[in-house]
Amino acid sequence: MVTIDALKSFGANTDEGLARCVNMEALYLKLVNTAASDEGYDKLQSALDAHDFSAAFDAAHGLKGVLANLALTPILEPVAEVTELLRAGKDMDYSSYMNTILQKRDELKAICS
């Protein structure tokens, strides 16, 4: 079960995330669990695989919002970079970013289980 201490060890800014949830710890932890399995990760990967950079931007932008609101910094930072690269229309290999994003997502899933 996910805890504030585990999220702090992961690198999340739990004070910021909790503040956005009006310091309701149960709500924050529930939303973190939801973020760990957000469908946006798969949408982003699929869109990048298909070189559909518009759909990839939409997926990355959505994930960025969720992760920023919960202050899940270790995943937020690479997702934010991808979002800005896609916003600029960069046609490039995003695999290193996706490897990092999915690794951190998997770490978060492990914390949540």
Side-chain angles (χ1 to χ4, degrees):
M1 179 178 213
V2 66
T3 65
I4 296 297
D5 287 338
L7 289 170
K8 283 182 182 181
S9 293
F10 173 66
N13 184 340
T14 55
D15 292 339
E16 184 179 324
L18 279 166
R20 288 199 176 104
C21 292
V22 197
N23 291 315
M24 296 175 65
E25 185 174 321
L27 173 62
Y28 177 67
L29 295 176
K30 179 180 176 182
L31 292 172
V32 167
N33 272 307
T34 301
S37 57
D38 191 291
E39 64 185 20
Y41 300 103
D42 293 333
K43 287 182 178 180
L44 176 57
Q45 182 69 70
S46 295
L48 288 173
D49 288 345
H51 296 282
D52 183 346
F53 297 120
S54 176
F57 171 76
D58 290 343
H61 192 261
L63 270 176
K64 179 182 164 189
V66 168
L67 298 168
N69 281 328
L70 298 174
L72 296 173
T73 311
I75 312 172
L76 171 60
E77 289 175 347
V79 168
E81 288 180 45
V82 168
T83 302
E84 295 313 310
L85 290 166
L86 290 166
R87 185 187 312 274
K90 297 285 184 183
D91 183 352
M92 58 180 271
D93 180 6
Y94 287 91
S95 60
S96 66
Y97 284 104
M98 284 308 301
N99 289 339
T100 301
I101 291 165
L102 296 176
Q103 176 190 0
K104 293 299 180 184
R105 187 256 341 245
D106 291 347
E107 288 177 27
L108 180 60
K109 280 184 169 183
I111 291 167
C112 291
S113 58

